[in-house]
Amino acid sequence: MTATIPKVSGAILKKRLVVNARQQRIPLQADVEIIATCNFNCVHCYIAPCAEREDVMSLEQAEILFDKLKAAGTLMLLLTGGEVFTHKQFKEIYLAAKRRGFNVYINTNAYLIGERWADFLALWPPKFMSISLYGMTPESYERVTGIPKSYQRVMRAIDLLLERGIEFDLKCPAMTVTASEIPAMMAFAKAKGVRFRTDYSIIPQEKGDLAPMSLQLGPQEVMDLQKTLDPGLSDFRKYAAVRVDDSTYENVYKCGAGRTTLHINVHGGVSTCSSSRKTVGNLFEQPFEEIWSALGGKVEMKYPVGHPCATCKFAKICIGCPATVEQLTGLPNGYVQMYCKITHQRAYELGYHPTGVPRTVTEGIPRHVVTPGRATARSLPILSQ
């Protein structure tokens, strides 16, 4: 007797897994920040400038986390920082994760990846890597990172990883000091046969310094760049087509944060994601179930009555998210008009909105809705656009 087993693509299986995990609130993926310090001094960074020398997770602490996550059903583990390859025990931590059966992902600036690290990764390949890219010339690269020869070192690392078949993508935040070169970065990635991605939100430093906010692109600058990267907005149009309808959402969190994913900082503190620095508990001190329950409570938050986002049909293509709003207002259910302006401009370009002007511009923002404080607002020169 023979049987034919139907073929199902990995993408479909992953989608089914995520859907099932979300229904049952299984923490499929955890982002673990094993070190907060970095060998770069990037102008936009929100973590490393606030870090102290001791902000490093030990191998023993990492193993405690890994065991708790494995028992909770976690399958995917992102090792991030800071810069993970500066961790003196990175190899041991990485192997501890691999040996527990996790699909391990890595975030890195790739500066330290030479022949030895490339050979090690070829022997013990990660599921995937994401490499930060900051320019297409030595001068522009160093303007962002503050480190001599950072461009040359990263370019060499990219070639070493490609030679060994390591899968990775390239990413760069779109900001005033990178925007002009992002199209060239995208072309570079395409020539190398790897994916390139960018995002348009800049957030303050973890301890409150607002300096990075001056790098934020304004609404029209965002649209100009997006139209350069995606002529005719054809890709974004397909993305929006299944997300823009007459639906509105009273729930603040629409992503998998706190439902299938979580972030753990270098001291064991748990938050919804890396962009949210407000923790709900500590995995070095508390049972996983207790913290996961607290996180679940947070992501069930709803908008207050009269909140402009609660009745916005563009919520699923909004450039902002609860984590970035939390960084600018102190609350996930606050309101940042900058994000609203960018999102409505996007909707206008796609033909979904007649003017691209949010109603809060003409009608005002309800007084009970929390907005960025005066200092934060002043740090955003683009708010007047």
Side-chain angles (χ1 to χ4, degrees), residues 303-330:
Y303 288 114
V305 175
H307 194 295
C309 297
T311 54
C312 180
K313 64 181 181 180
F314 308 128
K316 286 195 172 181
I317 61 168
C318 186
I319 191 175
C321 73
T324 55
V325 169
E326 182 182 66
Q327 288 285 54
L328 297 184
T329 69

PDB file of all heavy atoms in Angstrom, residues 303-330:
ATOM      1  N   TYR A 303      -7.901  51.389  22.819  1.00  0.00           N
ATOM      2  CA  TYR A 303      -7.838  52.845  22.732  1.00  0.00           C
ATOM      3  C   TYR A 303      -8.938  53.460  23.592  1.00  0.00           C
ATOM      4  O   TYR A 303     -10.044  52.919  23.689  1.00  0.00           O
ATOM      5  CB  TYR A 303      -8.037  53.310  21.290  1.00  0.00           C
ATOM      6  CG  TYR A 303      -6.868  53.040  20.381  1.00  0.00           C
ATOM      7  CD1 TYR A 303      -6.990  52.140  19.329  1.00  0.00           C
ATOM      8  CD2 TYR A 303      -5.654  53.701  20.559  1.00  0.00           C
ATOM      9  CE1 TYR A 303      -5.926  51.897  18.468  1.00  0.00           C
ATOM     10  CE2 TYR A 303      -4.576  53.449  19.705  1.00  0.00           C
ATOM     11  CZ  TYR A 303      -4.718  52.553  18.666  1.00  0.00           C
ATOM     12  OH  TYR A 303      -3.670  52.316  17.830  1.00  0.00           O
ATOM     13  N   PRO A 304      -8.668  54.617  24.189  1.00  0.00           N
ATOM     14  CA  PRO A 304      -9.737  55.316  24.903  1.00  0.00           C
ATOM     15  C   PRO A 304     -10.771  55.838  23.914  1.00  0.00           C
ATOM     16  O   PRO A 304     -10.479  56.054  22.732  1.00  0.00           O
ATOM     17  CB  PRO A 304      -8.995  56.476  25.594  1.00  0.00           C
ATOM     18  CG  PRO A 304      -7.763  56.690  24.782  1.00  0.00           C
ATOM     19  CD  PRO A 304      -7.380  55.327  24.268  1.00  0.00           C
ATOM     20  N   VAL A 305     -11.975  56.045  24.389  1.00  0.00           N
ATOM     21  CA  VAL A 305     -13.050  56.569  23.546  1.00  0.00           C
ATOM     22  C   VAL A 305     -12.615  57.903  22.938  1.00  0.00           C
ATOM     23  O   VAL A 305     -12.059  58.771  23.625  1.00  0.00           O
ATOM     24  CB  VAL A 305     -14.336  56.758  24.376  1.00  0.00           C
ATOM     25  CG1 VAL A 305     -15.424  57.435  23.530  1.00  0.00           C
ATOM     26  CG2 VAL A 305     -14.828  55.422  24.900  1.00  0.00           C
ATOM     27  N   GLY A 306     -12.836  58.042  21.633  1.00  0.00           N
ATOM     28  CA  GLY A 306     -12.487  59.290  20.973  1.00  0.00           C
ATOM     29  C   GLY A 306     -11.077  59.359  20.433  1.00  0.00           C
ATOM     30  O   GLY A 306     -10.693  60.357  19.818  1.00  0.00           O
ATOM     31  N   HIS A 307     -10.306  58.314  20.639  1.00  0.00           N
ATOM     32  CA  HIS A 307      -8.924  58.302  20.129  1.00  0.00           C
ATOM     33  C   HIS A 307      -8.958  58.239  18.604  1.00  0.00           C
ATOM     34  O   HIS A 307      -9.670  57.406  18.025  1.00  0.00           O
ATOM     35  CB  HIS A 307      -8.178  57.095  20.679  1.00  0.00           C
ATOM     36  CG  HIS A 307      -6.693  57.152  20.501  1.00  0.00           C
ATOM     37  ND1 HIS A 307      -6.081  57.124  19.271  1.00  0.00           N
ATOM     38  CD2 HIS A 307      -5.684  57.258  21.412  1.00  0.00           C
ATOM     39  CE1 HIS A 307      -4.777  57.189  19.420  1.00  0.00           C
ATOM     40  NE2 HIS A 307      -4.510  57.276  20.709  1.00  0.00           N
ATOM     41  N   PRO A 308      -8.209  59.108  17.911  1.00  0.00           N
ATOM     42  CA  PRO A 308      -8.278  59.119  16.434  1.00  0.00           C
ATOM     43  C   PRO A 308      -7.862  57.813  15.781  1.00  0.00           C
ATOM     44  O   PRO A 308      -8.352  57.484  14.689  1.00  0.00           O
ATOM     45  CB  PRO A 308      -7.343  60.267  16.042  1.00  0.00           C
ATOM     46  CG  PRO A 308      -6.521  60.569  17.252  1.00  0.00           C
ATOM     47  CD  PRO A 308      -7.347  60.183  18.433  1.00  0.00           C
ATOM     48  N   CYS A 309      -6.975  57.056  16.408  1.00  0.00           N
ATOM     49  CA  CYS A 309      -6.512  55.802  15.799  1.00  0.00           C
ATOM     50  C   CYS A 309      -7.573  54.705  15.852  1.00  0.00           C
ATOM     51  O   CYS A 309      -7.528  53.762  15.061  1.00  0.00           O
ATOM     52  CB  CYS A 309      -5.237  55.311  16.478  1.00  0.00           C
ATOM     53  SG  CYS A 309      -3.833  56.432  16.291  1.00  0.00           S
ATOM     54  N   ALA A 310      -8.513  54.831  16.802  1.00  0.00           N
ATOM     55  CA  ALA A 310      -9.523  53.776  16.981  1.00  0.00           C
ATOM     56  C   ALA A 310     -10.502  53.732  15.826  1.00  0.00           C
ATOM     57  O   ALA A 310     -11.160  52.706  15.600  1.00  0.00           O
ATOM     58  CB  ALA A 310     -10.262  53.987  18.295  1.00  0.00           C
ATOM     59  N   THR A 311     -10.639  54.829  15.091  1.00  0.00           N
ATOM     60  CA  THR A 311     -11.586  54.861  13.979  1.00  0.00           C
ATOM     61  C   THR A 311     -10.875  55.080  12.647  1.00  0.00           C
ATOM     62  O   THR A 311     -11.507  55.489  11.663  1.00  0.00           O
ATOM     63  CB  THR A 311     -12.620  55.976  14.197  1.00  0.00           C
ATOM     64  OG1 THR A 311     -11.937  57.225  14.413  1.00  0.00           O
ATOM     65  CG2 THR A 311     -13.499  55.663  15.398  1.00  0.00           C
ATOM     66  N   CYS A 312      -9.581  54.800  12.605  1.00  0.00           N
ATOM     67  CA  CYS A 312      -8.795  55.014  11.383  1.00  0.00           C
ATOM     68  C   CYS A 312      -8.717  53.723  10.576  1.00  0.00           C
ATOM     69  O   CYS A 312      -8.266  52.689  11.076  1.00  0.00           O
ATOM     70  CB  CYS A 312      -7.390  55.490  11.720  1.00  0.00           C
ATOM     71  SG  CYS A 312      -6.354  55.771  10.259  1.00  0.00           S
ATOM     72  N   LYS A 313      -9.133  53.782   9.326  1.00  0.00           N
ATOM     73  CA  LYS A 313      -9.099  52.588   8.487  1.00  0.00           C
ATOM     74  C   LYS A 313      -7.724  52.343   7.874  1.00  0.00           C
ATOM     75  O   LYS A 313      -7.533  51.375   7.139  1.00  0.00           O
ATOM     76  CB  LYS A 313     -10.160  52.673   7.396  1.00  0.00           C
ATOM     77  CG  LYS A 313      -9.975  53.796   6.391  1.00  0.00           C
ATOM     78  CD  LYS A 313     -11.117  53.789   5.381  1.00  0.00           C
ATOM     79  CE  LYS A 313     -10.961  54.877   4.341  1.00  0.00           C
ATOM     80  NZ  LYS A 313     -12.076  54.873   3.365  1.00  0.00           N
ATOM     81  N   PHE A 314      -6.758  53.221   8.179  1.00  0.00           N
ATOM     82  CA  PHE A 314      -5.399  53.035   7.675  1.00  0.00           C
ATOM     83  C   PHE A 314      -4.457  52.477   8.744  1.00  0.00           C
ATOM     84  O   PHE A 314      -3.246  52.504   8.595  1.00  0.00           O
ATOM     85  CB  PHE A 314      -4.847  54.365   7.150  1.00  0.00           C
ATOM     86  CG  PHE A 314      -5.739  55.046   6.160  1.00  0.00           C
ATOM     87  CD1 PHE A 314      -6.108  56.357   6.327  1.00  0.00           C
ATOM     88  CD2 PHE A 314      -6.250  54.347   5.071  1.00  0.00           C
ATOM     89  CE1 PHE A 314      -6.956  56.987   5.421  1.00  0.00           C
ATOM     90  CE2 PHE A 314      -7.096  54.955   4.157  1.00  0.00           C
ATOM     91  CZ  PHE A 314      -7.448  56.288   4.334  1.00  0.00           C
ATOM     92  N   ALA A 315      -5.039  51.970   9.836  1.00  0.00           N
ATOM     93  CA  ALA A 315      -4.232  51.508  10.964  1.00  0.00           C
ATOM     94  C   ALA A 315      -3.228  50.433  10.575  1.00  0.00           C
ATOM     95  O   ALA A 315      -2.112  50.383  11.111  1.00  0.00           O
ATOM     96  CB  ALA A 315      -5.137  50.994  12.079  1.00  0.00           C
ATOM     97  N   LYS A 316      -3.608  49.572   9.625  1.00  0.00           N
ATOM     98  CA  LYS A 316      -2.725  48.458   9.267  1.00  0.00           C
ATOM     99  C   LYS A 316      -1.633  48.836   8.274  1.00  0.00           C
ATOM    100  O   LYS A 316      -0.812  47.998   7.918  1.00  0.00           O
ATOM    101  CB  LYS A 316      -3.543  47.277   8.745  1.00  0.00           C
ATOM    102  CG  LYS A 316      -4.280  46.540   9.861  1.00  0.00           C
ATOM    103  CD  LYS A 316      -4.780  45.193   9.394  1.00  0.00           C
ATOM    104  CE  LYS A 316      -5.350  44.380  10.546  1.00  0.00           C
ATOM    105  NZ  LYS A 316      -5.816  43.043  10.104  1.00  0.00           N
ATOM    106  N   ILE A 317      -1.615  50.103   7.831  1.00  0.00           N
ATOM    107  CA  ILE A 317      -0.477  50.558   7.019  1.00  0.00           C
ATOM    108  C   ILE A 317       0.203  51.744   7.702  1.00  0.00           C
ATOM    109  O   ILE A 317       0.969  52.482   7.082  1.00  0.00           O
ATOM    110  CB  ILE A 317      -0.887  50.934   5.583  1.00  0.00           C
ATOM    111  CG1 ILE A 317      -1.891  52.075   5.563  1.00  0.00           C
ATOM    112  CG2 ILE A 317      -1.433  49.725   4.836  1.00  0.00           C
ATOM    113  CD1 ILE A 317      -2.097  52.684   4.167  1.00  0.00           C
ATOM    114  N   CYS A 318      -0.081  51.921   8.989  1.00  0.00           N
ATOM    115  CA  CYS A 318       0.484  53.049   9.735  1.00  0.00           C
ATOM    116  C   CYS A 318       1.985  52.870   9.929  1.00  0.00           C
ATOM    117  O   CYS A 318       2.458  51.765  10.225  1.00  0.00           O
ATOM    118  CB  CYS A 318      -0.202  53.186  11.084  1.00  0.00           C
ATOM    119  SG  CYS A 318       0.316  54.656  12.005  1.00  0.00           S
ATOM    120  N   ILE A 319       2.723  53.942   9.788  1.00  0.00           N
ATOM    121  CA  ILE A 319       4.168  53.883   9.987  1.00  0.00           C
ATOM    122  C   ILE A 319       4.519  53.737  11.462  1.00  0.00           C
ATOM    123  O   ILE A 319       5.580  53.259  11.822  1.00  0.00           O
ATOM    124  CB  ILE A 319       4.855  55.134   9.397  1.00  0.00           C
ATOM    125  CG1 ILE A 319       6.374  54.948   9.364  1.00  0.00           C
ATOM    126  CG2 ILE A 319       4.470  56.387  10.168  1.00  0.00           C
ATOM    127  CD1 ILE A 319       7.098  56.088   8.675  1.00  0.00           C
ATOM    128  N   GLY A 320       3.605  54.151  12.315  1.00  0.00           N
ATOM    129  CA  GLY A 320       3.833  54.030  13.756  1.00  0.00           C
ATOM    130  C   GLY A 320       3.333  52.699  14.284  1.00  0.00           C
ATOM    131  O   GLY A 320       2.602  51.976  13.612  1.00  0.00           O
ATOM    132  N   CYS A 321       3.731  52.371  15.491  1.00  0.00           N
ATOM    133  CA  CYS A 321       3.253  51.151  16.153  1.00  0.00           C
ATOM    134  C   CYS A 321       3.191  51.444  17.645  1.00  0.00           C
ATOM    135  O   CYS A 321       3.718  52.466  18.106  1.00  0.00           O
ATOM    136  CB  CYS A 321       4.177  49.975  15.854  1.00  0.00           C
ATOM    137  SG  CYS A 321       5.772  50.036  16.709  1.00  0.00           S
ATOM    138  N   PRO A 322       2.554  50.585  18.429  1.00  0.00           N
ATOM    139  CA  PRO A 322       2.451  50.855  19.866  1.00  0.00           C
ATOM    140  C   PRO A 322       3.807  51.085  20.541  1.00  0.00           C
ATOM    141  O   PRO A 322       3.905  51.921  21.442  1.00  0.00           O
ATOM    142  CB  PRO A 322       1.774  49.592  20.410  1.00  0.00           C
ATOM    143  CG  PRO A 322       0.977  49.080  19.264  1.00  0.00           C
ATOM    144  CD  PRO A 322       1.793  49.374  18.042  1.00  0.00           C
ATOM    145  N   ALA A 323       4.842  50.375  20.081  1.00  0.00           N
ATOM    146  CA  ALA A 323       6.162  50.519  20.716  1.00  0.00           C
ATOM    147  C   ALA A 323       6.780  51.886  20.439  1.00  0.00           C
ATOM    148  O   ALA A 323       7.323  52.532  21.342  1.00  0.00           O
ATOM    149  CB  ALA A 323       7.092  49.409  20.233  1.00  0.00           C
ATOM    150  N   THR A 324       6.720  52.336  19.188  1.00  0.00           N
ATOM    151  CA  THR A 324       7.315  53.638  18.873  1.00  0.00           C
ATOM    152  C   THR A 324       6.472  54.768  19.458  1.00  0.00           C
ATOM    153  O   THR A 324       7.016  55.791  19.886  1.00  0.00           O
ATOM    154  CB  THR A 324       7.484  53.812  17.355  1.00  0.00           C
ATOM    155  OG1 THR A 324       6.219  53.613  16.702  1.00  0.00           O
ATOM    156  CG2 THR A 324       8.478  52.811  16.808  1.00  0.00           C
ATOM    157  N   VAL A 325       5.149  54.596  19.478  1.00  0.00           N
ATOM    158  CA  VAL A 325       4.285  55.596  20.124  1.00  0.00           C
ATOM    159  C   VAL A 325       4.598  55.668  21.614  1.00  0.00           C
ATOM    160  O   VAL A 325       4.662  56.753  22.205  1.00  0.00           O
ATOM    161  CB  VAL A 325       2.800  55.251  19.890  1.00  0.00           C
ATOM    162  CG1 VAL A 325       1.889  56.114  20.768  1.00  0.00           C
ATOM    163  CG2 VAL A 325       2.440  55.445  18.428  1.00  0.00           C
ATOM    164  N   GLU A 326       4.816  54.516  22.230  1.00  0.00           N
ATOM    165  CA  GLU A 326       5.182  54.459  23.651  1.00  0.00           C
ATOM    166  C   GLU A 326       6.475  55.211  23.919  1.00  0.00           C
ATOM    167  O   GLU A 326       6.609  55.914  24.929  1.00  0.00           O
ATOM    168  CB  GLU A 326       5.320  52.996  24.081  1.00  0.00           C
ATOM    169  CG  GLU A 326       5.642  52.777  25.549  1.00  0.00           C
ATOM    170  CD  GLU A 326       5.798  51.302  25.863  1.00  0.00           C
ATOM    171  OE1 GLU A 326       6.759  50.669  25.348  1.00  0.00           O
ATOM    172  OE2 GLU A 326       4.950  50.766  26.598  1.00  0.00           O
ATOM    173  N   GLN A 327       7.436  55.097  22.999  1.00  0.00           N
ATOM    174  CA  GLN A 327       8.705  55.785  23.174  1.00  0.00           C
ATOM    175  C   GLN A 327       8.556  57.298  23.124  1.00  0.00           C
ATOM    176  O   GLN A 327       9.303  58.028  23.773  1.00  0.00           O
ATOM    177  CB  GLN A 327       9.696  55.335  22.090  1.00  0.00           C
ATOM    178  CG  GLN A 327      10.231  53.929  22.266  1.00  0.00           C
ATOM    179  CD  GLN A 327      11.258  53.835  23.383  1.00  0.00           C
ATOM    180  OE1 GLN A 327      11.012  54.230  24.521  1.00  0.00           O
ATOM    181  NE2 GLN A 327      12.430  53.333  23.059  1.00  0.00           N
ATOM    182  N   LEU A 328       7.579  57.781  22.344  1.00  0.00           N
ATOM    183  CA  LEU A 328       7.421  59.227  22.174  1.00  0.00           C
ATOM    184  C   LEU A 328       6.402  59.854  23.114  1.00  0.00           C
ATOM    185  O   LEU A 328       6.457  61.061  23.368  1.00  0.00           O
ATOM    186  CB  LEU A 328       7.028  59.540  20.728  1.00  0.00           C
ATOM    187  CG  LEU A 328       8.041  59.160  19.642  1.00  0.00           C
ATOM    188  CD1 LEU A 328       7.561  59.618  18.279  1.00  0.00           C
ATOM    189  CD2 LEU A 328       9.415  59.751  19.929  1.00  0.00           C
ATOM    190  N   THR A 329       5.469  59.045  23.618  1.00  0.00           N
ATOM    191  CA  THR A 329       4.422  59.603  24.479  1.00  0.00           C
ATOM    192  C   THR A 329       4.411  59.012  25.887  1.00  0.00           C
ATOM    193  O   THR A 329       3.783  59.570  26.782  1.00  0.00           O
ATOM    194  CB  THR A 329       3.027  59.369  23.869  1.00  0.00           C
ATOM    195  OG1 THR A 329       2.722  57.962  23.922  1.00  0.00           O
ATOM    196  CG2 THR A 329       2.959  59.847  22.431  1.00  0.00           C
ATOM    197  N   GLY A 330       5.068  57.864  26.059  1.00  0.00           N
ATOM    198  CA  GLY A 330       5.053  57.185  27.352  1.00  0.00           C
ATOM    199  C   GLY A 330       4.005  56.104  27.445  1.00  0.00           C
ATOM    200  O   GLY A 330       4.031  55.291  28.369  1.00  0.00           O
TER     201      GLY A 330
END
